[in-house]
Amino acid sequence: MTASLTSADALIVIDLQNDFCPGGALAVGGGDEIVPLVNRLAAAHEHVILTQDWHPKGHSSFASSHPGTAPFGSIELAYGTQTLWPDHCVQGTKGAEFHPGLDWTKAELVIRKGFRAPIDSYSAFFENDRKTPTGLAGYLRERGLTRLTLVGLATDFCVAYSALDARKLGFETRVALDACRAIDLGGSLATAEKQMREAGVDLTQASALAA
Ligand code: VGL
Ligand code: ZN
């Protein structure tokens, strides 16, 4: 069944950037495979918004910023436990650019996140201190965009955090799982899917939204 999309629908494409695709610094398995589906969903939506992970050099989420640590470990920062990552999506680098196959021309907004050195930001709405807003909620509300479809990378980090925050903020929220790929660190994908389902996120497929 194809659900009807309206002017109140927005497609939010999360972090479809070179560093999260094969060959990138924090490659998500099959990350590039979602590009055709994302493009099809973008064509079917009147409103398209992109997020872009956008870290300064030496960002606090990089293992390289903390001597004696390794990527995929974790440390305690001022706001709590932070997973450490390889250096990725550094501002102005090729790795931070959108995948070259992504048709982003009709995007109305690009929301950058993770640009504050001491705080990481998975969610499109709040940074990892869970307090600092990105401004996206206000933008969506002012524009009457009440129903969101999230796609992109990675299912279990930036997509899930964004979807959970979207529900907390009162947006009708779906995630098209076939247009996402996961990092899956220690069972993080199963946990994220369970949390999203319990929060009332509609876990669906791109084919249900755009033929
Ligand atoms: C992401 C880890 C670090 C993501 C971003 O886009 O899911 N994951 N930065
Ligand atoms: Zn990042």
Side-chain angles (χ1 to χ4, degrees):
M1 201 191 63
T2 301
S4 58
L5 296 167
T6 72
S7 298
D9 275 286
L11 179 70
I12 305 189
V13 181
I14 304 286
D15 300 358
L16 194 29
Q17 293 165 261
N18 290 324
D19 268 344
F20 296 122
C21 291
L26 179 40
V28 180
D32 55 339
E33 293 167 7
I34 66 174
V35 171
L37 272 184
V38 172
N39 286 342
R40 202 186 309 160
L41 284 169
H45 277 78
E46 186 179 333
H47 306 293
V48 177
I49 292 165
L50 312 176
T51 68
Q52 190 172 26
D53 211 36
W54 195 248
H55 300 307
K57 267 187 242 164
H59 190 257
S60 58
S61 74
F62 297 168
S64 64
S65 303
H66 308 278
T69 67
F72 309 105
S74 63
I75 51 158
E76 293 305 314
L77 292 182
Y79 53 81
T81 306
Q82 170 67 49
T83 301
L84 294 172
W85 305 107
D87 292 22
H88 65 279
C89 297
V90 173
Q91 295 172 2
T93 64
K94 198 88 192 154
E97 289 175 14
F98 295 114
H99 184 285
L102 176 66
D103 184 3
W104 47 259
T105 44
K106 80 189 258 191
E108 296 171 349
L109 175 73
V110 176
I111 192 121
R112 288 177 168 164
K113 60 186 182 61
F115 52 76
R116 290 180 179 81
I119 320 181
D120 202 7
S121 187
Y122 295 151
S123 166
F125 294 96
F126 293 103
E127 304 205 352
N128 285 9
D129 62 359
R130 315 311 296 138
K131 287 196 287 267
T132 306
T134 62
L136 179 58
Y139 175 91
L140 294 170
R141 286 185 182 134
E142 281 200 33
R143 298 205 49 214
L145 298 168
T146 55
R147 188 165 61 176
L148 312 179
T149 297
L150 277 67
V151 297
L153 306 171
T155 322
D156 43 345
F157 286 92
C158 292
V159 175
Y161 273 68
S162 299
L164 292 170
D165 280 346
R167 288 297 302 135
K168 273 187 211 135
L169 292 162
F171 295 97
E172 200 181 324
T173 310
R174 356 187 225 222
V175 170
L177 286 174
D178 53 347
C180 301
R181 290 292 184 277
I183 295 174
D184 206 11
L185 205 58
S188 55
L189 177 60
T191 304
E193 286 192 2
K194 180 169 183 283
Q195 287 175 336
M196 288 193 282
R197 211 172 277 117
E198 286 172 1
V201 176
D202 179 11
L203 298 180
T204 184
Q205 305 292 322
S207 55
L209 305 171

PDB file of all heavy atoms in Angstrom, residues 14-15 20 26 53 55 85 88 113 120-122 153-154 157-159 183, ligand 1:
ATOM      1  N   ILE A  14      19.285  11.617   6.995  1.00  0.00           N
ATOM      2  CA  ILE A  14      20.295  11.740   8.043  1.00  0.00           C
ATOM      3  C   ILE A  14      21.684  11.334   7.531  1.00  0.00           C
ATOM      4  O   ILE A  14      21.898  10.177   7.130  1.00  0.00           O
ATOM      5  CB  ILE A  14      19.922  10.836   9.255  1.00  0.00           C
ATOM      6  CG1 ILE A  14      18.509  11.151   9.793  1.00  0.00           C
ATOM      7  CG2 ILE A  14      20.986  10.919  10.349  1.00  0.00           C
ATOM      8  CD1 ILE A  14      18.372  12.424  10.570  1.00  0.00           C
ATOM      9  N   ASP A  15      22.611  12.262   7.541  1.00  0.00           N
ATOM     10  CA  ASP A  15      24.056  11.990   7.414  1.00  0.00           C
ATOM     11  C   ASP A  15      24.439  11.044   6.262  1.00  0.00           C
ATOM     12  O   ASP A  15      25.263  10.137   6.459  1.00  0.00           O
ATOM     13  CB  ASP A  15      24.609  11.409   8.732  1.00  0.00           C
ATOM     14  CG  ASP A  15      24.428  12.351   9.916  1.00  0.00           C
ATOM     15  OD1 ASP A  15      23.918  13.464   9.728  1.00  0.00           O
ATOM     16  OD2 ASP A  15      24.806  11.966  11.036  1.00  0.00           O
ATOM     17  N   PHE A  20      30.454   7.850   5.922  1.00  0.00           N
ATOM     18  CA  PHE A  20      29.614   6.763   6.433  1.00  0.00           C
ATOM     19  C   PHE A  20      29.340   5.716   5.348  1.00  0.00           C
ATOM     20  O   PHE A  20      28.592   4.768   5.586  1.00  0.00           O
ATOM     21  CB  PHE A  20      28.289   7.306   6.978  1.00  0.00           C
ATOM     22  CG  PHE A  20      28.463   8.209   8.181  1.00  0.00           C
ATOM     23  CD1 PHE A  20      27.998   9.515   8.165  1.00  0.00           C
ATOM     24  CD2 PHE A  20      29.102   7.749   9.322  1.00  0.00           C
ATOM     25  CE1 PHE A  20      28.163  10.343   9.264  1.00  0.00           C
ATOM     26  CE2 PHE A  20      29.271   8.569  10.434  1.00  0.00           C
ATOM     27  CZ  PHE A  20      28.793   9.875  10.408  1.00  0.00           C
ATOM     28  N   LEU A  26      34.273   6.117   8.669  1.00  0.00           N
ATOM     29  CA  LEU A  26      33.403   5.402   9.622  1.00  0.00           C
ATOM     30  C   LEU A  26      32.317   4.711   8.797  1.00  0.00           C
ATOM     31  O   LEU A  26      31.131   4.986   8.905  1.00  0.00           O
ATOM     32  CB  LEU A  26      32.819   6.413  10.636  1.00  0.00           C
ATOM     33  CG  LEU A  26      31.856   5.949  11.728  1.00  0.00           C
ATOM     34  CD1 LEU A  26      32.240   4.619  12.338  1.00  0.00           C
ATOM     35  CD2 LEU A  26      31.730   7.007  12.815  1.00  0.00           C
ATOM     36  N   ASP A  53      26.681  15.625   9.475  1.00  0.00           N
ATOM     37  CA  ASP A  53      27.601  15.524  10.609  1.00  0.00           C
ATOM     38  C   ASP A  53      28.798  16.412  10.248  1.00  0.00           C
ATOM     39  O   ASP A  53      29.363  16.277   9.150  1.00  0.00           O
ATOM     40  CB  ASP A  53      28.014  14.048  10.740  1.00  0.00           C
ATOM     41  CG  ASP A  53      28.300  13.615  12.160  1.00  0.00           C
ATOM     42  OD1 ASP A  53      27.621  14.088  13.095  1.00  0.00           O
ATOM     43  OD2 ASP A  53      29.215  12.778  12.343  1.00  0.00           O
ATOM     44  N   HIS A  55      32.070  17.941  12.047  1.00  0.00           N
ATOM     45  CA  HIS A  55      32.937  18.074  13.216  1.00  0.00           C
ATOM     46  C   HIS A  55      34.177  18.912  12.926  1.00  0.00           C
ATOM     47  O   HIS A  55      34.800  18.760  11.868  1.00  0.00           O
ATOM     48  CB  HIS A  55      33.418  16.692  13.669  1.00  0.00           C
ATOM     49  CG  HIS A  55      32.328  15.751  14.056  1.00  0.00           C
ATOM     50  ND1 HIS A  55      31.352  16.066  14.974  1.00  0.00           N
ATOM     51  CD2 HIS A  55      32.057  14.471  13.659  1.00  0.00           C
ATOM     52  CE1 HIS A  55      30.536  15.025  15.126  1.00  0.00           C
ATOM     53  NE2 HIS A  55      30.934  14.057  14.329  1.00  0.00           N
ATOM     54  N   TRP A  85      34.904   7.461  18.247  1.00  0.00           N
ATOM     55  CA  TRP A  85      34.849   7.118  16.832  1.00  0.00           C
ATOM     56  C   TRP A  85      36.169   7.437  16.161  1.00  0.00           C
ATOM     57  O   TRP A  85      36.936   8.267  16.647  1.00  0.00           O
ATOM     58  CB  TRP A  85      33.741   7.945  16.152  1.00  0.00           C
ATOM     59  CG  TRP A  85      32.410   7.796  16.803  1.00  0.00           C
ATOM     60  CD1 TRP A  85      31.772   8.723  17.582  1.00  0.00           C
ATOM     61  CD2 TRP A  85      31.536   6.655  16.752  1.00  0.00           C
ATOM     62  NE1 TRP A  85      30.556   8.229  18.007  1.00  0.00           N
ATOM     63  CE2 TRP A  85      30.393   6.974  17.524  1.00  0.00           C
ATOM     64  CE3 TRP A  85      31.617   5.403  16.128  1.00  0.00           C
ATOM     65  CZ2 TRP A  85      29.336   6.076  17.683  1.00  0.00           C
ATOM     66  CZ3 TRP A  85      30.566   4.518  16.293  1.00  0.00           C
ATOM     67  CH2 TRP A  85      29.439   4.858  17.056  1.00  0.00           C
ATOM     68  N   HIS A  88      36.066  11.498  11.648  1.00  0.00           N
ATOM     69  CA  HIS A  88      35.125  11.397  10.521  1.00  0.00           C
ATOM     70  C   HIS A  88      34.402  12.722  10.335  1.00  0.00           C
ATOM     71  O   HIS A  88      34.284  13.519  11.267  1.00  0.00           O
ATOM     72  CB  HIS A  88      34.097  10.276  10.781  1.00  0.00           C
ATOM     73  CG  HIS A  88      33.205  10.575  11.942  1.00  0.00           C
ATOM     74  ND1 HIS A  88      33.575  10.368  13.237  1.00  0.00           N
ATOM     75  CD2 HIS A  88      31.962  11.113  11.999  1.00  0.00           C
ATOM     76  CE1 HIS A  88      32.615  10.753  14.050  1.00  0.00           C
ATOM     77  NE2 HIS A  88      31.615  11.218  13.331  1.00  0.00           N
ATOM     78  N   LYS A 113      25.380  19.452  12.421  1.00  0.00           N
ATOM     79  CA  LYS A 113      25.412  19.084  13.844  1.00  0.00           C
ATOM     80  C   LYS A 113      26.772  18.522  14.196  1.00  0.00           C
ATOM     81  O   LYS A 113      27.502  18.058  13.311  1.00  0.00           O
ATOM     82  CB  LYS A 113      24.297  18.083  14.155  1.00  0.00           C
ATOM     83  CG  LYS A 113      24.430  16.810  13.347  1.00  0.00           C
ATOM     84  CD  LYS A 113      23.246  15.903  13.563  1.00  0.00           C
ATOM     85  CE  LYS A 113      23.407  14.613  12.807  1.00  0.00           C
ATOM     86  NZ  LYS A 113      24.576  13.824  13.198  1.00  0.00           N
ATOM     87  N   ASP A 120      29.200  15.880  21.298  1.00  0.00           N
ATOM     88  CA  ASP A 120      28.825  15.192  20.069  1.00  0.00           C
ATOM     89  C   ASP A 120      27.336  15.417  19.836  1.00  0.00           C
ATOM     90  O   ASP A 120      26.610  15.891  20.719  1.00  0.00           O
ATOM     91  CB  ASP A 120      29.132  13.690  20.180  1.00  0.00           C
ATOM     92  CG  ASP A 120      29.262  13.040  18.807  1.00  0.00           C
ATOM     93  OD1 ASP A 120      29.248  13.773  17.787  1.00  0.00           O
ATOM     94  OD2 ASP A 120      29.367  11.799  18.733  1.00  0.00           O
ATOM     95  N   SER A 121      26.873  15.109  18.648  1.00  0.00           N
ATOM     96  CA  SER A 121      25.459  15.280  18.346  1.00  0.00           C
ATOM     97  C   SER A 121      25.009  14.180  17.407  1.00  0.00           C
ATOM     98  O   SER A 121      25.344  14.188  16.232  1.00  0.00           O
ATOM     99  CB  SER A 121      25.214  16.649  17.707  1.00  0.00           C
ATOM    100  OG  SER A 121      23.826  16.874  17.568  1.00  0.00           O
ATOM    101  N   TYR A 122      24.262  13.220  17.930  1.00  0.00           N
ATOM    102  CA  TYR A 122      23.703  12.178  17.071  1.00  0.00           C
ATOM    103  C   TYR A 122      22.367  12.635  16.491  1.00  0.00           C
ATOM    104  O   TYR A 122      22.084  12.450  15.320  1.00  0.00           O
ATOM    105  CB  TYR A 122      23.465  10.892  17.858  1.00  0.00           C
ATOM    106  CG  TYR A 122      24.703  10.207  18.406  1.00  0.00           C
ATOM    107  CD1 TYR A 122      24.636   9.454  19.569  1.00  0.00           C
ATOM    108  CD2 TYR A 122      25.925  10.287  17.735  1.00  0.00           C
ATOM    109  CE1 TYR A 122      25.747   8.797  20.067  1.00  0.00           C
ATOM    110  CE2 TYR A 122      27.045   9.644  18.243  1.00  0.00           C
ATOM    111  CZ  TYR A 122      26.945   8.905  19.405  1.00  0.00           C
ATOM    112  OH  TYR A 122      28.038   8.249  19.905  1.00  0.00           O
ATOM    113  N   LEU A 153      21.824   7.302   7.679  1.00  0.00           N
ATOM    114  CA  LEU A 153      22.883   6.582   8.390  1.00  0.00           C
ATOM    115  C   LEU A 153      23.148   7.258   9.736  1.00  0.00           C
ATOM    116  O   LEU A 153      23.155   8.484   9.789  1.00  0.00           O
ATOM    117  CB  LEU A 153      24.152   6.594   7.536  1.00  0.00           C
ATOM    118  CG  LEU A 153      23.978   6.050   6.094  1.00  0.00           C
ATOM    119  CD1 LEU A 153      25.228   6.322   5.273  1.00  0.00           C
ATOM    120  CD2 LEU A 153      23.623   4.571   6.093  1.00  0.00           C
ATOM    121  N   ALA A 154      23.371   6.556  10.732  1.00  0.00           N
ATOM    122  CA  ALA A 154      23.202   5.111  10.817  1.00  0.00           C
ATOM    123  C   ALA A 154      21.924   4.819  11.591  1.00  0.00           C
ATOM    124  O   ALA A 154      21.603   5.543  12.523  1.00  0.00           O
ATOM    125  CB  ALA A 154      24.406   4.480  11.533  1.00  0.00           C
ATOM    126  N   PHE A 157      22.261   4.906  15.438  1.00  0.00           N
ATOM    127  CA  PHE A 157      22.788   6.096  16.099  1.00  0.00           C
ATOM    128  C   PHE A 157      22.002   7.324  15.661  1.00  0.00           C
ATOM    129  O   PHE A 157      20.974   7.662  16.239  1.00  0.00           O
ATOM    130  CB  PHE A 157      24.314   6.215  15.913  1.00  0.00           C
ATOM    131  CG  PHE A 157      25.041   5.216  16.758  1.00  0.00           C
ATOM    132  CD1 PHE A 157      25.370   3.964  16.260  1.00  0.00           C
ATOM    133  CD2 PHE A 157      25.339   5.496  18.085  1.00  0.00           C
ATOM    134  CE1 PHE A 157      25.990   3.008  17.068  1.00  0.00           C
ATOM    135  CE2 PHE A 157      25.958   4.556  18.904  1.00  0.00           C
ATOM    136  CZ  PHE A 157      26.286   3.310  18.389  1.00  0.00           C
ATOM    137  N   CYS A 158      22.445   7.994  14.617  1.00  0.00           N
ATOM    138  CA  CYS A 158      21.819   9.282  14.312  1.00  0.00           C
ATOM    139  C   CYS A 158      20.357   9.166  13.893  1.00  0.00           C
ATOM    140  O   CYS A 158      19.544  10.022  14.240  1.00  0.00           O
ATOM    141  CB  CYS A 158      22.652  10.035  13.288  1.00  0.00           C
ATOM    142  SG  CYS A 158      24.229  10.547  14.021  1.00  0.00           S
ATOM    143  N   VAL A 159      19.991   8.107  13.180  1.00  0.00           N
ATOM    144  CA  VAL A 159      18.578   7.964  12.786  1.00  0.00           C
ATOM    145  C   VAL A 159      17.719   7.694  14.027  1.00  0.00           C
ATOM    146  O   VAL A 159      16.700   8.365  14.248  1.00  0.00           O
ATOM    147  CB  VAL A 159      18.390   6.845  11.734  1.00  0.00           C
ATOM    148  CG1 VAL A 159      16.907   6.636  11.432  1.00  0.00           C
ATOM    149  CG2 VAL A 159      19.158   7.173  10.452  1.00  0.00           C
ATOM    150  N   ILE A 183      25.297   0.655  12.157  1.00  0.00           N
ATOM    151  CA  ILE A 183      26.667   0.365  12.599  1.00  0.00           C
ATOM    152  C   ILE A 183      26.651  -0.956  13.380  1.00  0.00           C
ATOM    153  O   ILE A 183      27.516  -1.792  13.230  1.00  0.00           O
ATOM    154  CB  ILE A 183      27.220   1.526  13.467  1.00  0.00           C
ATOM    155  CG1 ILE A 183      27.346   2.818  12.625  1.00  0.00           C
ATOM    156  CG2 ILE A 183      28.567   1.153  14.079  1.00  0.00           C
ATOM    157  CD1 ILE A 183      27.741   4.071  13.414  1.00  0.00           C
TER     158      ILE A 183
HETATM  159  C1  VGL B   1      27.014   8.978  13.491  1.00  0.00           C
HETATM  160  C2  VGL B   1      28.591   8.113  14.907  1.00  0.00           C
HETATM  161  C3  VGL B   1      29.248   9.325  14.935  1.00  0.00           C
HETATM  162  C4  VGL B   1      25.773   8.739  12.678  1.00  0.00           C
HETATM  163  C5  VGL B   1      27.650  10.203  13.525  1.00  0.00           C
HETATM  164  O1  VGL B   1      25.532   9.491  11.708  1.00  0.00           O
HETATM  165  O2  VGL B   1      25.036   7.773  12.998  1.00  0.00           O
HETATM  166  N1  VGL B   1      27.484   7.948  14.197  1.00  0.00           N
HETATM  167  N2  VGL B   1      28.770  10.367  14.244  1.00  0.00           N
END
